[in-house]
Amino acid sequence: MCFHTSTTDKVKKFEKHFNVNIVDSSMESYFDKPTYHHNGFSHPNMLVIPQERSDVLAPGIWGIVPNYKTKDDIKEYHKESVRYGGGLNARSEKAFDHFIYKEAIMDNRCIVPVSGFFEPHDHKGKKYPFHFKDKADKPLALAGLYTVIDTYITFTILTKEASPLFAKIHNKKNRQPLILDEELTHNWLSVDLKESDIEDILHFSFPEDKLDAYSVSKDLFSPKVDSNVESIIHEINYSELTKIK
């Protein structure tokens, strides 16, 4: 599952790539600070492109919360939902059935722009993190769903069955985030999609040859180490993992 991301691109790069503007220019300096590791379980603030305002980058809290909750309920809900993944990921297969997702799938879809993300590889019971990024250093568009709680956006990242590359690396869960190309990014935010159109997008497989994937420091998963450092996205080779290179 996709619980860890990196956002090292400047806001201006996201604005240009997605043809959007940040909703409030005073926020730009905050989101311009590079985040090498967003740990989803800390429910960070990240930028999203919401369907109802598809021309803007808006701040959102990672971890979707039902829209009948209030802003004062958000933190407590995240504590309760940690047993179910904290609302960080949504299985695309349940998008039309889950009690939260089915309320969002038609009218509250979003794009979560990231510079990269991490997935674990299991080898003899130990987890080795891998970093995924676009080979051309373009931002990646992750498909998501969101709710609006008072004035707060809460969101989740959609996942799907793993492609061959992801199955090889994320070999225990065999899942991957739903990554969209530029055309489908635009389509995902359209207000005119029918259920069948959405289903088609949910089955999209981003071309593997456009992605770089490499192992990084196991500090990523250590609660005792500050992993939000530039070195966390640097490649580290492990001799025991040569078979998956």
Side-chain angles (χ1 to χ4, degrees), residues 103-126:
E103 298 294 329
I105 190 64
M106 296 307 299
D107 301 308
N108 289 95
R109 300 184 298 275
C110 66
I111 292 295
V112 184
V114 299
S115 307
F117 58 89
F118 304 88
E119 296 288 9
H121 176 76
D122 185 85
H123 179 73
K124 296 183 177 180
K126 295 182 179 180

Side-chain angles (χ1 to χ4, degrees), residues 48-63:
V48 302
I49 307 172
Q51 183 180 356
E52 59 193 294
R53 287 289 309 277
S54 60
D55 60 336
V56 303
L57 288 164
I61 303 168
W62 191 1

Side-chain angles (χ1 to χ4, degrees), residues 63-182:
I64 198 166
V65 175
N67 57 16
Y68 57 80
K69 297 288 187 178
T70 70
K71 63 180 181 180
D72 296 326
D73 297 328
I74 293 175
K75 286 187 178 180
E76 191 59 37
Y77 184 82
H78 284 155
K79 289 179 183 178
E80 294 174 0
S81 64
V82 70
R83 293 172 293 172
Y84 312 107
L88 304 179
N89 291 167
R91 294 178 69 91
S92 58
E93 298 89 342
K94 296 182 177 180
F96 292 95
D97 302 317
H98 188 276
F99 78 103
I100 300 178
Y101 314 153
K102 69 181 181 181
E103 298 294 329
I105 190 64
M106 296 307 299
D107 301 308
N108 289 95
R109 300 184 298 275
C110 66
I111 292 295
V112 184
V114 299
S115 307
F117 58 89
F118 304 88
E119 296 288 9
H121 176 76
D122 185 85
H123 179 73
K124 296 183 177 180
K126 295 182 179 180
K127 289 199 299 183
Y128 296 80
F130 275 69
H131 187 238
F132 290 80
K133 61 185 287 291
D134 185 273
K135 281 185 177 178
D137 284 326
K138 296 178 180 179
L140 292 172
L142 306 185
L145 304 173
Y146 70 98
T147 59
V148 179
I149 312 296
D150 297 328
T151 58
Y152 294 86
I153 292 175
T154 72
F155 71 90
T156 187
I157 293 171
L158 282 156
T159 65
K160 63 187 290 289
E161 185 178 346
S163 70
L165 171 65
F166 281 90
K168 192 176 182 182
I169 293 174
H170 197 187
N171 59 334
K172 196 149 190 177
K173 296 290 186 179
N174 289 309
R175 304 289 295 177
Q176 69 169 86
L178 177 57
I179 313 167
L180 302 182
D181 62 16
E182 291 185 30

Side-chain angles (χ1 to χ4, degrees), residues 8-22:
T8 56
D9 292 315
K10 297 288 188 181
V11 170
K12 293 295 186 190
K13 185 172 181 177
F14 284 142
E15 288 179 324
K16 182 178 180 180
H17 182 79
F18 293 102
N19 193 27
V20 295
N21 292 297
I22 194 165

Side-chain angles (χ1 to χ4, degrees), residues 133-136 163 165-166 205-213:
K133 61 185 287 291
D134 185 273
K135 281 185 177 178
S163 70
L165 171 65
F166 281 90
S205 291
F206 191 83
E208 293 182 346
D209 61 359
K210 292 186 177 182
L211 293 173
D212 266 338

Side-chain angles (χ1 to χ4, degrees), residues 3-10 14 30-40 42 44-46 62 114-119 129-133 214 216-217 219-221 225-235:
F3 296 148
H4 306 269
T5 67
S6 61
T7 307
T8 56
D9 292 315
K10 297 288 188 181
F14 284 142
Y30 174 83
F31 286 105
D32 258 350
K33 298 173 184 174
T35 301
Y36 301 101
H37 177 208
H38 282 296
N39 184 338
S42 66
N45 284 302
M46 295 171 61
W62 191 1
V114 299
S115 307
F117 58 89
F118 304 88
E119 296 288 9
F130 275 69
H131 187 238
F132 290 80
K133 61 185 287 291
Y214 54 86
V216 297
S217 172
D219 284 349
L220 186 88
F221 297 133
V225 177
D226 178 10
S227 54
N228 184 24
V229 292
E230 185 176 0
S231 58
I232 205 67
I233 61 173
H234 294 170
E235 183 172 11

